[in-house]
Structure formats: structure tokens, C-alpha cells
Amino acid sequence: MAAFYIRFPDLGLAETRTLSTLASEDGLPAGNYAFMEFYCDDPPCDCRRVLFKVWAQNQPGATLATINFGWESVEFYTRWLHGDKDSAREITAGSLDPMNPQSPLAPMLLGLFRTCLLPDAGYVARLERHYQMFKGAPAPTPSGPLPPLPMPPTAPASKPSAPSSPQSAPAGAGRIPADRRARFDEVAALLESFGGQHLDPELTGFMRELWARICRRRDPGCLRGKANVWAATVAHVIARMNFLFDRAQPVHVTFDTICGFFQASKTTIGSKATEIERTHKLRAHSEPGICRGELLETFTMLELSNGMVLTWKMARQMGYLPPEARIEDLR
């Protein structure tokens, strides 16, 4: 089994499902848990299943649970397993894989998968789509040592890796087409108001940066719809990208707070936020410019020529990255 995000880095990390628990329940600590997808890389095999390795935000790369799941019928897996109907039922229900690492938290994480992810028909369809993509893509070929990351020749050495305050965003805002400037300012004012009450300057800057990206797209979609809906959607995306729904974070908000402030529908904002993440190919928790630095270093993954997968932070600590390397150069 090989990781989906290695073959499809941007899409894989953007579409990796993460579940957040706000309070310890049944022995599972409060935290954020990523369900990393692994698929069979044996070309003749058509097992039509996914192996999840569940990682926690504070333990990237440490497998807390390995879950085996298949989206086809029990009959399909019974044939694939040469008549073992009990095992086929386990695959379709989601089960802990006996051949791979598990932790004491594995049963609770399996329960989360069954109650929160399995009922989501759209997510299951996404897994099937990922499987088909994975099977149709060639495996990456090692090409020697990890090369140095490209450095922009004109970038000053002191350039920050992400906007750190609302004052860092106007430069990007200046590139917004003239016919969208009034709309940009209208929504930006709402975001500044929300950020001043509920966030800190860095997160407020992230909202402004994301809104600027939306306004700079070739499609003038930012001109359509209500300003309060756009503002609520941008705030929701930034909250999801930075784990702001986790009460353990120094700065946190609730979905109700966002929708209440902007007087917007939760259903509308949730679906629109997902559309923005997909359209802009935002990498979950690792998007330079709109994610905190500690998240970038924790969730940005690198594969070495020997097949080892490390977080950016671990790769730097182990000397695999040059001192001047910056995460935003991966965009």
C-alpha cells in the first residue's frame, strides 16, 4: 500500500479528511486526527479498498490506527477473498487491519470513522475516485537525493513565510482588478470587523489574503452573491485551515459564532467553504499565506529519495533541508 498524497501531493493533502474532537470522550483525547489514504500499488490487483493510517496533529507520521475499508458490496469482497464472507463484511463496515500497527486509541478512532465518515456518501465516492486515480497514475521514480528547493532570485532574505498581520495584505490587494475593488473593500471591512472581535492580527491577515486570492481569479465570481455570505465563507475556511474550532487552541471560534456574526446560513457557508477549498486547491492545514507557521511545519510532508516520508519540521531538524529553505517555495 502506498500513500495517495505522495502520488498526488496537492490534491491528496487538500482532500484528506480530518476529524476534530473538542473534548476527551471514551478515552480518546481531544485533538485533530487525519485519515491518511493508502492504496494498493500492485498493478494487477483490483481490490477496490483503502487503508487508512490515522495520524494526530501532535504526532504526525505516528500511526494510531490502521483501518481497512472497501466501498463495494459484501458479495464483491467475498469473491475477492475466495468465499470469506465474514472478512468481506468487516471490509465494508470498516475494520482494524490485523497486519498493521494499532494503538490503544485504535478502537475509538474506528468508531469515529464508522459514525462520522462512513455515512458520508460524498466522501465514500471521493475514496473510489482516489482509488481510480491512483491505479491510473505511474508510481514516482526515485531520482537521487532530495534536491534543494528553488529560491526566488529576487526574494529578500528577511521576507516572512506568511502574512503576520493585516498590514501585510494590502500589497496583494493592490493587484485586484479595478472592477472588483469595491467588492473587495466591502467584504474586507466585514472580515476586519470580525477579526477584531474574535481573532488575532495574524488570522485576520489570513482572511484578507484568502479573500484577495478569490477576487484575483479570472472568473469574477466574487461579484456574485451577498457580501456577508462571502465574508462568513472566508472566515469559515480560515477557521478550518487553522483548527480554530478546537477549544484547546489559544484563539478559537465556533461555527455558530461565525454564522451568527455574519447572519448567514450554516448549510450555505459549509458547502461554499468546501467549494473554495477545492477550487483554490488549498492544502489542508499546510497552505502558505493562510495557515500558521507551526501548522505548515507539521502538515507539510516531504518524501525523500529513500522513500522515507517526513514532515517539514523533521526534515529540517535531520538536515535534509538547507537552512534557507522556505515552505512557501513549494507552491
Side-chain angles (χ1 to χ4, degrees):
M1 310 293 278
F4 181 79
Y5 71 89
I6 295 299
R7 214 165 281 190
F8 300 94
D10 292 338
L11 181 67
L13 292 178
E15 295 194 348
T16 292
R17 184 62 60 91
T18 301
L19 296 180
S20 299
T21 57
L22 301 182
S24 180
E25 183 175 355
D26 298 329
L28 182 65
N32 304 295
Y33 300 93
F35 287 70
M36 309 300 295
E37 300 168 29
F38 288 70
Y39 295 99
C40 174
D41 58 359
D42 181 13
C45 178
D46 187 24
C47 56
R48 305 185 195 181
R49 62 193 180 98
V50 57
L51 199 69
F52 293 105
K53 293 187 178 182
V54 187
W55 297 350
Q57 178 188 358
N58 59 355
Q59 296 177 276
T63 301
L64 301 179
T66 308
I67 298 172
N68 189 15
F69 171 69
W71 49 85
E72 298 288 356
S73 66
V74 172
E75 289 71 24
F76 173 86
Y77 296 109
T78 299
R79 291 193 299 271
W80 181 67
L81 294 168
H82 306 289
D84 188 346
K85 195 167 187 177
D86 290 339
S87 296
R89 288 196 187 98
E90 290 183 355
I91 292 176
T92 58
S95 60
L96 298 178
D97 191 274
M99 302 297 292
N100 282 281
Q102 309 292 350
S103 79
L105 300 179
M108 284 78 81
L109 292 167
L110 175 61
L112 272 184
F113 171 78
R114 288 176 172 173
T115 57
C116 299
L117 298 186
L118 195 53
D120 185 343
Y123 177 63
V124 174
R126 176 193 294 178
L127 296 174
E128 183 175 3
R129 173 169 55 86
H130 285 182
Y131 173 84
Q132 297 296 340
M133 292 174 61
F134 187 91
K135 283 295 190 178
T141 302
S143 55
L146 188 70
L149 298 178
M151 299 298 293
T154 59
S158 60
K159 181 180 178 181
S161 62
S164 59
S165 70
Q167 287 71 36
S168 63
R175 297 192 297 273
I176 294 170
D179 63 328
R180 306 174 197 178
R181 185 66 206 210
R183 169 47 66 96
F184 173 83
D185 290 341
E186 179 186 17
V187 174
L190 295 174
L191 294 172
E192 294 284 351
S193 178
F194 177 78
Q197 292 188 36
H198 298 285
L199 305 179
D200 59 24
E202 182 178 44
L203 292 165
T204 303
F206 291 166
M207 291 194 299
R208 188 180 176 97
E209 164 63 19
L210 177 57
W211 176 233
R213 293 186 191 182
I214 294 170
C215 290
R216 288 196 296 263
R217 284 185 62 83
R218 180 176 300 180
D219 175 17
C222 63
L223 299 177
R224 299 187 290 270
K226 298 180 179 180
N228 67 308
V229 172
W230 274 114
T233 301
V234 169
H236 185 43
V237 171
I238 295 302
R240 294 206 301 207
M241 296 288 288
N242 289 275
F243 293 116
L244 300 188
F245 296 137
D246 182 355
R247 295 179 184 177
Q249 296 294 327
V251 178
H252 57 271
V253 295
T254 66
F255 196 10
D256 287 334
T257 298
I258 294 174
C259 293
F261 184 93
F262 294 107
Q263 295 297 296
S265 162
K266 293 173 71 173
T267 301
T268 299
I269 301 310
S271 60
K272 196 171 181 68
T274 299
E275 179 184 352
I276 287 176
E277 291 171 354
R278 181 177 62 252
T279 301
H280 290 259
K281 299 180 180 179
L282 301 181
R283 292 174 287 188
H285 321 306
S286 59
E287 184 68 26
I290 60 175
C291 287
R292 292 200 191 273
E294 60 267 26
L295 294 180
L296 293 177
E297 293 198 352
T298 299
F299 284 93
T300 299
M301 311 299 294
L302 299 173
E303 183 184 20
L304 307 184
S305 59
N306 61 5
M308 181 185 299
V309 179
L310 300 174
T311 65
W312 181 279
K313 183 176 182 179
M314 294 169 63
R316 184 185 293 281
Q317 291 173 342
M318 296 172 67
Y320 288 109
L321 293 174
E324 70 275 13
R326 302 177 306 165
I327 291 180
E328 66 267 30
D329 294 326
L330 294 177
R331 278 191 60 82

